[in-house]
C-alpha cells in the first residue's frame, strides 16, 4: 500500500513539475503592448484620434503622452478650423481660455477607458500657462491611481502630485522626467530621480526602466533641440544619462529612453561621438509625431538607426515579445496616411483640412529655431 501511494505521488509530481516550473520561471511572461508619442499641437486634434483608434486595435494597456499638447503662443490650426466649420470666430483670448479643454475633448476622450499618462512639455509653460497651472488643471491625470499609489509608497508624505512621476507594471519602472523649462532638472527633481534609481537598483523584481521626458537628454543626434540648449540642462542631463548607463551596465537593468520635442521620428538618438567616448550608447527614441508641424532632420540623422520626418504616427511597444528575456520591449513606429484618420474626424474638420495636415504642416527652418 505504501509503495502504491509513493509511486502515485511521484507520478503526479512528474506531471505537475513542468507546469510548476513554467509558473515560477522568470522567462514565462505575458506579452502586452502600450503606446507612446508626443507633440500634438497644430494638427493633434486630427492625429491623436487616429493614434487612439489604432492603439486600441492593438490592445494597448495605456497611452503615454510626452508633452506639448497645444501651441499656446497662438491658436492651433485644428482649433481654428473646427471653430471656422462651426461658424465661430477665434481670437487669442478665446483660444488661451479653451486650449487645454480642447486637448481633453479632442485628444484624451478618444482613448475611452484606456489609461492616459500625461507628460509636461515646454509649451505647457508658455505664457500665460505655467507649470503650476498645468499641475492644477491636469491634476487627475498626474494623480492617477497608479501614480498616487507609487508616490505614497515612495514617500507617505507626498500627498500632492508632481509633474515628474513613476509607476511600476510587470517589473518595469515607467519614469517621467520634467525638463519643460530651462531650470531643469532642478535640485529637488534630481534628488527624486536618484532615489527612484537607487531603489530600482536594489530591487530584483525591477528588470526594466522606461524613462520618458519631453526634451531629449544632452548630446543626442538632436542636440541642437534638446537639453543642450541651456547650461543646467547639459549638466543635469549628462548626470541623469550617466545614472541610467550605470543602471544598464552595472545593475544589469534593461533601459530605454524616450523623448519628443523634435517633430520627427528617430531611433538610436544617442549614437553620437560624445556618448561613444563617454561611457556608451543607451537605446533612445524621439517620437514628436502626434500632430505638430514637422521639422527637418538634423545633419547627423544618418547616424541614427532610423529617422523619418514629414510623418505622423506613434510608437507601439510590445513588452515580453516571444523568445526574448522577460522585460524586453520592442518598439515599432506606426506611420499614418490620410486613410488612417477616423471618418468622424474627417467630417468635423473637412477632408481638405485633413489633407493639409498630412501633406503640409511642415517647418522648413533649421530645427534650433523651433520651440
Amino acid at each position: 500500500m505504501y509503495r502504491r501511494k509513493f509511486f502515485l505521488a511521484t507520478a503526479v509530481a512528474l506531471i505537475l513539475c513542468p507546469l510548476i516550473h513554467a509558473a515560477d520561471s522568470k522567462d514565462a511572461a505575458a506579452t502586452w503592448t502600450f503606446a507612446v508619442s508626443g507633440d500634438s499641437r497644430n494638427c493633434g486634434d486630427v492625429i491623436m484620434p487616429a493614434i487612439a483608434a489604432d492603439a486600441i486595435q492593438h490592445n494597448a494597456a495605456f497611452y503615454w503622452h510626452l508633452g506639448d499638447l497645444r501651441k499656446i503662443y497662438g491658436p492651433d490650426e485644428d482649433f481654428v478650423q473646427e471653430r471656422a466649420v462651426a461658424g465661430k470666430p477665434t481670437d487669442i483670448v478665446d483660444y488661451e481660455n479653451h486650449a487645454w479643454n480642447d486637448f481633453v475633448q479632442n485628444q484624451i476622450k478618444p482613448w475611452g477607458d484606456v489609461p492616459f499618462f500625461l507628460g509636461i512639455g515646454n509649451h505647457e509653460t508658455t505664457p500665460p500657462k505655467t507649470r503650476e497651472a498645468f499641475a492644477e488643471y491636469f491634476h487627475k491625470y498626474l494623480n492617477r491611481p497608479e501614480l498616487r499609489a507609487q508616490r505614497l509608497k515612495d514617500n507617505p508624505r507626498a500627498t500632492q502630485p508632481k509633474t515628474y512621476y513613476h509607476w511600476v507594471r510587470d517589473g518595469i519602472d515607467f519614469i517621467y522626467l520634467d525638463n519643460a523649462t530651462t531650470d531643469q532638472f532642478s535640485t529637488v527633481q534630481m534628488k527624486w530621480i536618484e532615489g527612484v534609481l537607487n531603489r530600482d537598483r536594489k530591487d530584483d523584481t525591477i528588470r526594466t526602466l522606461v524613462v520618458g521626458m519631453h526634451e531629449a537628454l544632452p548630446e543626442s543626434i538632436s542636440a541642437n533641440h534638446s537639453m543642450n540648449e541651456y547650461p543646467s540642462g547639459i549638466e543635469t542631463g549628462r548626470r541623469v544619462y550617466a545614472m541610467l548607463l550605470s543602471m544598464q551596465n552595472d545593475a544589469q537593468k534593461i533601459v530605454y529612453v524616450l523623448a519628443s520635442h523634435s517633430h520627427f521620428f528617430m531611433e538610436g538618438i544617442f549614437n553620437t561621438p560624445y556618448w561613444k567616448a563617454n561611457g556608451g550608447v543607451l537605446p533612445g527614441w524621439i517620437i514628436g509625431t502626434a500632430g505638430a508641424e514637422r521639422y527637418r532632420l538634423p545633419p547627423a540623422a544618418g547616424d541614427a538607426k532610423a529617422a523619418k520626418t514629414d510623418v505622423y504616427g506613434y510608437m507601439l511597444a510590445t513588452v515580453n515579445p516571444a523568445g526574448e528575456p522577460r522585460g524586453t520591449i520592442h518598439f515599432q513606429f506606426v506611420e499614418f496616411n490620410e486613410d488612417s484618420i477616423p471618418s468622424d474626424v474627417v467630417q468635423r474638420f473637412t477632408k481638405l483640412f485633413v489633407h493639409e495636415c498630412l501633406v503640409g504642416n511642415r517647418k522648413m527652418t533649421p530645427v534650433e529655431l523651433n520651440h
Side-chain angles (χ1 to χ4, degrees):
M1 185 64 153
Y2 171 79
R3 293 184 63 184
R4 287 181 60 193
K5 288 183 178 180
F6 173 79
F7 284 122
L8 180 61
T10 302
V12 171
L14 288 172
I15 292 170
L16 292 179
C17 184
L19 300 178
I20 294 171
H21 175 74
D24 291 342
S25 172
K26 291 184 178 181
D27 295 326
T31 298
W32 55 279
T33 63
F34 66 90
V36 59
S37 62
D39 292 271
S40 58
R41 58 185 178 93
N42 302 105
C43 283
D45 289 357
V46 170
I47 304 302
M48 281 288 286
I51 294 176
D54 193 80
I56 290 169
Q57 287 292 314
H58 287 91
N59 299 311
F62 61 83
Y63 172 72
W64 200 3
H65 195 297
L66 302 181
D68 276 9
L69 322 179
R70 303 276 70 194
K71 188 162 55 175
I72 302 305
Y73 65 77
D76 297 276
E77 290 82 347
D78 52 21
F79 185 94
V80 174
Q81 173 67 11
E82 188 169 28
R83 292 297 180 97
V85 170
K88 298 178 181 178
T90 302
D91 59 42
I92 188 64
V93 175
D94 175 63
Y95 167 72
E96 289 171 353
N97 288 337
H98 293 93
W100 282 350
N101 181 61
D102 172 81
F103 172 77
V104 172
Q105 297 301 319
N106 288 310
Q107 300 190 32
I108 295 182
K109 281 196 172 181
W111 292 89
D113 295 330
V114 176
F116 195 106
F117 292 91
L118 183 60
I120 187 171
N122 60 297
H123 281 262
E124 282 67 75
T125 66
T126 296
K129 305 299 187 184
T130 64
R131 176 178 280 107
E132 293 72 25
F134 172 85
E136 180 180 356
Y137 192 91
F138 293 105
H139 182 276
K140 77 174 185 178
Y141 298 98
L142 299 176
N143 202 39
R144 286 191 52 82
E146 304 93 329
L147 305 185
R148 183 174 61 252
Q150 185 65 55
R151 188 177 69 247
L152 293 173
K153 179 181 178 182
D154 294 343
N155 178 5
R157 294 177 295 178
T159 57
Q160 293 302 311
K162 303 283 189 182
T163 49
Y164 47 88
Y165 54 79
H166 78 122
W167 80 100
V168 176
R169 179 186 176 120
D170 193 21
I172 303 169
D173 197 351
F174 294 92
I175 304 170
Y176 191 82
L177 305 180
D178 174 358
N179 56 11
T181 53
T182 58
D183 58 348
Q184 301 298 319
F185 300 118
S186 67
T187 301
V188 174
Q189 187 175 183
M190 286 296 293
K191 183 178 179 181
W192 177 84
I193 296 167
E194 290 170 358
V196 171
L197 296 182
N198 285 338
R199 287 189 294 273
D200 284 350
R201 180 181 293 270
K202 300 170 185 176
D203 189 343
D204 291 338
T205 67
I206 301 295
R207 301 175 182 85
T208 305
L209 283 71
V210 182
V211 185
M213 64 202 73
H214 185 62
E215 297 188 2
L217 292 173
E219 319 306 342
S220 73
I221 292 173
S222 190
N224 56 354
H225 196 59
S226 74
M227 293 185 78
N228 276 95
E229 293 185 280
Y230 42 98
S232 63
I234 295 172
E235 191 270 326
T236 60
R238 285 177 177 175
R239 282 169 54 196
V240 167
Y241 187 100
M243 287 189 282
L244 295 176
L245 196 64
S246 177
M247 294 295 288
Q248 174 185 269
N249 296 344
D250 302 330
Q252 302 299 303
K253 308 291 185 179
I254 304 172
V255 178
Y256 305 102
V257 185
L258 312 177
S260 56
H261 194 48
S262 294
H263 303 166
F264 46 70
F265 169 75
M266 186 178 291
E267 178 180 359
I269 65 172
F270 299 116
N271 186 34
T272 61
Y274 181 90
W275 287 121
K276 288 178 181 178
N278 289 274
V281 174
L282 285 170
W285 289 259
I286 287 174
I287 328 103
T289 56
E293 58 186 1
R294 278 79 67 93
Y295 293 168
R296 302 308 92 199
L297 293 172
D303 294 333
K305 187 173 181 181
K308 292 184 176 184
T309 192
D310 297 333
V311 294
Y312 284 131
Y314 73 105
M315 278 217 304
L316 180 67
T318 302
V319 181
N320 303 323
E324 297 287 344
R326 186 170 184 180
T328 300
I329 305 175
H330 284 181
F331 293 94
Q332 173 193 357
F333 182 64
V334 180
E335 183 178 338
F336 291 155
N337 56 36
E338 292 183 53
D339 293 336
S340 307
I341 309 304
S343 58
D344 64 312
V345 175
V346 176
Q347 184 175 0
R348 277 172 43 223
F349 288 93
T350 75
K351 188 173 183 179
L352 178 60
F353 181 78
V354 169
H355 175 76
E356 287 300 317
C357 282
L358 271 292
V359 304
N361 205 22
R362 301 176 181 182
K363 192 82 168 182
M364 304 306 292
T365 53
V367 68
E368 61 266 22
L369 300 179
N370 302 304
H371 292 281

